[in-house]
Amino acid sequence: MENNYPFISAKCITYGRVDTLEESIESFLKQDYLGKKELIIVNDYPEQTLVYDHPEVFIYNIPKTFDTIGAKENFAVNLCQGDIIAVWDDDDIAMPNHLYNIAKYFLSNTDLLHWEKGVLFNDKKISAITGLGNSGIVYSKNIWKKIGGHALENAGYDMTFVLKIKSQSNNIVLASPPDCDVSWFYMWGGRSYHMSGQGNDDETKPNILIRHSEHIENLRSQGLIPTGVITLLPKWNLDYQLLLKQYTNSE
């Protein structure tokens, strides 16, 4: 504990999405949390070596793509030093109070935190303040260990993970901050290749890793994806705090 706040590890897995990742890192840098925190980033796009120098941001560039998203998640969680693991997706946004919200709702015996109130952001505007499903979930490292980590799956792995936690624990928190204090933006349309919109893997189509890799390689062939050593420049492309303030004031 530091200043009576828990150590929170923000865990981010990424692949070829520098622009959205820079926004995600900026979200972490904007946190006004006084407790101990870290951002763990695992990149397994072999064409990119990501670099960013910050004492709380740790980037692991893996030269070979993981066989499953579940394996990549487990690798990342193993690197996390905190007891609380906050999913910090490379294409979503957190408000500066997000880690404080986690510390507020994630009690000492909590195993899983779901956001019943957050921002659904679609095509550069806020569509609703609503439940976010599995987006931005927070879980204890202990429950991750207890259930044997993430299943070695691709699309649908997050649902498998949540259902397994629920089968072995009753310590589930459904958090509903006031609208003006919601802190997680689930970014939907008009932003990137979105796994949640592609359906689960089955025998009728290549798995999500193959589909996403093909999408990234297509962009790279058009000169739209940088390669080599990339020094990240964290920034927000929009003023998300202002957009949230305007949205909640207009309700």
Side-chain angles (χ1 to χ4, degrees):
M1 302 282 283
E2 182 173 321
N3 301 312
N4 295 319
Y5 290 107
F7 183 1
I8 301 175
S9 293
K11 174 200 57 63
C12 178
I13 62 172
T14 191
Y15 186 95
R17 302 199 287 200
V18 169
D19 187 52
T20 61
L21 176 63
E22 288 176 333
E23 288 205 290
S24 181
I25 296 173
E26 179 69 3
S27 293
F28 179 81
L29 299 179
K30 286 181 178 291
Q31 295 301 305
D32 51 18
Y33 187 64
L34 295 179
K36 191 173 182 180
K37 63 187 183 296
E38 65 177 1
L39 175 61
I40 301 295
I41 300 170
V42 173
N43 162 50
D44 64 342
Y45 181 38
E47 299 293 333
Q48 292 179 342
T49 299
L50 306 179
V51 177
Y52 183 65
D53 184 17
H54 188 280
E56 295 178 319
V57 179
F58 305 92
I59 301 177
Y60 297 85
N61 294 291
I62 310 304
K64 182 180 182 298
T65 302
F66 285 90
D67 292 334
T68 65
I69 298 175
K72 185 175 179 180
E73 290 277 8
N74 289 334
F75 181 85
V77 176
N78 263 316
L79 294 168
C80 293
Q81 298 298 306
D83 294 325
I84 299 174
I85 311 299
V87 173
W88 206 271
D89 286 341
D90 69 345
D91 60 345
D92 289 333
I93 297 292
M95 293 292 96
N97 63 321
H98 187 59
L99 293 183
Y100 270 116
N101 269 347
I102 291 173
K104 176 181 178 180
Y105 292 102
F106 201 99
L107 307 178
S108 60
N109 66 339
T110 300
D111 284 323
L112 177 67
L113 170 61
H114 259 265
W115 300 107
E116 295 300 287
K117 272 192 177 181
V119 175
L120 178 61
F121 197 82
N122 189 31
D123 288 326
K124 298 185 179 182
K125 64 181 184 297
I126 296 175
S127 295
I129 293 179
T130 183
L132 298 182
N134 292 327
S135 179
I137 61 170
V138 186
Y139 53 89
S140 70
K141 198 165 188 179
N142 284 337
I143 194 65
W144 172 79
K145 291 177 181 177
K146 181 179 178 180
I147 67 173
H150 290 274
L152 302 183
E153 299 176 344
N154 289 309
Y157 81 96
D158 55 337
M159 182 58 72
T160 298
F161 181 67
V162 167
L163 291 175
K164 198 166 183 180
I165 292 177
K166 290 181 175 180
S167 74
Q168 298 196 33
S169 174
N170 294 318
N171 299 322
I172 313 297
V173 173
L174 304 178
S176 297
D179 286 3
C180 60
D181 289 334
V182 296
S183 57
W184 190 252
F185 276 52
Y186 184 33
M187 313 299 272
W188 190 246
R191 185 167 170 81
S192 63
Y193 192 92
H194 215 289
M195 185 180 73
S196 298
Q198 303 298 318
N200 288 354
D201 292 337
D202 59 41
E203 65 278 359
T204 67
K205 55 185 178 295
N207 73 50
I208 193 67
L209 284 185
I210 295 173
R211 283 178 276 154
H212 187 224
S213 176
E214 290 175 346
H215 171 72
I216 293 297
E217 288 308 301
N218 180 51
L219 293 177
R220 184 176 71 86
S221 69
Q222 300 175 56
L224 300 176
I225 296 286
T227 58
V229 177
I230 300 167
T231 299
L232 298 170
L233 302 172
K235 63 186 183 304
W236 274 357
N237 295 326
L238 297 171
D239 188 338
Y240 300 104
Q241 285 180 275
L242 178 61
L243 291 172
L244 178 59
K245 182 178 181 181
Q246 291 172 337
Y247 184 86
T248 54
N249 286 343
S250 68
E251 290 182 316

